[in-house]
Amino acid sequence: MKLTIAPRSPKSRSFPITLDLVGSPADVKVETVQAAIAKKFPKYYPDRQRLTVEKTALETGKTLADYGLKDGDSVSFKDLGPQISWRTVFLIEYGGPLVIHPLVYYLPKVFYGQAFEHSWMQTVTYWMVMLHFLKREYETVFVHRFSHGTMPFSNVFKNSAHYHLLSGLNLAYWVYGPWNAVGTKLAERSDALVYGCIALYIFAELSNFHTHVTLRNLRPPGTRVRKIPRGYGFDLVSCPNYFFETLSWLAVSVLTFSWAAHLFFVVAVGQMYIWAVKKHKGYRKEFSDYPRGRKSMFPFIA
């Protein structure tokens, strides 16, 4: 069959082109079309392509017939630009705080112009943050199975700013400063508060890890299979991983009582809630038997 690939942009010099594909529309899969385009133009590898029919994106695993395409029809092509793997993006995002926090914590003369002894609150907060992001790096390498292989490289800088600036430099600078050092009024914390925050943090981090393992086990290696998640946390909300991460940062926010921690908490929870609502709607749309009693992110609330 013949399929015309038309450019989304009228300025394109490479398109339109017509592909001669073997088989009928019911036989030709979307990835076959992507491979044919990549063979003709190597720089447009499949992850860089977006093919659409009347604003509907063509998904791999489906055939052209699934979209009502016939011999001689056309689809629109958009170049998504240079891509980077999601795994690499996550490593870069979480790596920022892992570099920034030790620098600010261990080099006070560089950042504050003086040496001082860190308070218990500062030390506990430091290890909370470090262990959180070390866990995230471990999960990125050994746990997560990504439904989307890549994202535009240009988005790395925007995505990283959230972690490198808000939970990295801003949080570290205002929490580890001399105003929170040993002997200052701001550093005073009761044992009950400190140990309570540590207990909440440990519970939340372990629970978050458990939900990530549950999600991993739903998707066989090398596939993009989607199933209804069930079990610990998922009986109440669609995204318990976001809920438990909220509890982790709540522990940090309460322990430090710093405006920088509060700011990151509000921004992070707000963003996670937006993601949770989107995922929740996606589950309900995709699965007719999806549990109706589940909320998006907060049990019994929303």
Side-chain angles (χ1 to χ4, degrees), residues 50-291:
R50 178 179 173 82
L51 303 177
T52 58
V53 177
E54 296 180 354
K55 298 184 178 181
T56 299
L58 275 59
E59 300 178 2
T60 57
K62 294 187 176 182
T63 67
L64 299 184
D66 292 331
Y67 297 95
L69 292 168
K70 303 181 296 296
D71 184 24
D73 283 349
S74 66
V75 298
S76 296
F77 169 90
K78 180 180 180 181
D79 175 20
L80 298 177
Q83 301 288 297
I84 184 172
S85 74
W86 272 101
R87 195 179 305 278
T88 303
V89 171
F90 280 12
L91 290 174
I92 293 172
E93 289 177 353
Y94 306 146
L98 289 174
V99 173
I100 294 169
H101 279 262
L103 288 176
V104 178
Y105 185 85
Y106 289 111
L107 300 174
K109 283 189 176 182
V110 174
F111 291 91
Y112 307 106
Q114 59 179 296
F116 52 87
E117 183 182 355
H118 287 110
S119 65
W120 189 27
M121 179 274 287
Q122 290 175 313
T123 300
V124 171
T125 302
Y126 172 76
W127 284 110
M128 280 183 170
V129 173
M130 291 297 291
L131 289 173
H132 172 79
F133 285 109
L134 283 171
K135 179 181 86 62
R136 296 296 290 270
E137 295 281 41
Y138 173 85
E139 291 172 336
T140 297
V141 176
F142 298 106
V143 177
H144 293 321
R145 287 176 179 157
F146 299 92
S147 59
H148 298 288
T150 65
M151 66 174 284
F153 180 79
S154 58
N155 286 358
V156 172
F157 305 100
K158 177 184 68 176
N159 288 29
S160 296
H162 172 74
Y163 294 100
H164 293 192
L165 298 180
L166 288 184
S167 64
L169 186 59
N170 192 55
L171 179 63
Y173 182 84
W174 291 105
V175 171
Y176 305 143
W179 44 84
N180 284 323
V182 167
T184 62
K185 185 74 174 177
L186 289 177
E188 295 178 1
R189 299 290 187 279
S190 68
D191 288 349
L193 177 65
V194 175
Y195 285 118
C197 288
I198 292 175
L200 176 61
Y201 172 85
I202 293 174
F203 164 75
E205 290 290 320
L206 292 177
S207 297
N208 176 267
F209 179 77
H210 188 282
T211 59
H212 284 160
V213 172
T214 298
L215 291 171
R216 167 195 167 86
N217 292 337
L218 288 177
R219 178 172 294 144
T223 72
R224 297 184 179 182
V225 172
R226 285 170 57 84
K227 300 178 183 178
I228 299 176
R230 303 183 188 277
Y232 182 71
F234 290 99
D235 292 334
L236 297 176
V237 295
S238 294
C239 299
N241 49 324
Y242 295 154
F243 172 68
F244 290 128
E245 181 155 349
T246 294
L247 296 183
S248 289
W249 287 111
L250 177 63
V252 173
S253 189
V254 171
L255 177 62
T256 62
F257 208 72
S258 164
W259 72 268
H262 299 336
L263 174 63
F264 179 71
F265 177 77
V266 170
V267 173
V269 174
Q271 181 61 69
M272 286 190 290
Y273 180 69
I274 292 173
W275 290 336
V277 170
K278 183 178 180 179
K279 289 177 182 290
H280 182 68
K281 290 181 178 178
Y283 280 135
R284 296 188 65 174
K285 181 179 180 180
E286 183 174 359
F287 302 106
S288 59
D289 58 339
Y290 193 73

Side-chain angles (χ1 to χ4, degrees), residues 1 3 5 19 21 28-39 46 49 51 58 64 69 75:
M1 67 165 288
L3 182 71
I5 311 298
L19 300 176
L21 303 168
V28 179
K29 291 189 174 182
V30 172
E31 50 264 44
T32 302
V33 178
Q34 292 178 320
I37 295 173
K39 184 177 181 179
Q49 303 174 26
L51 303 177
L58 275 59
L64 299 184
L69 292 168
V75 298

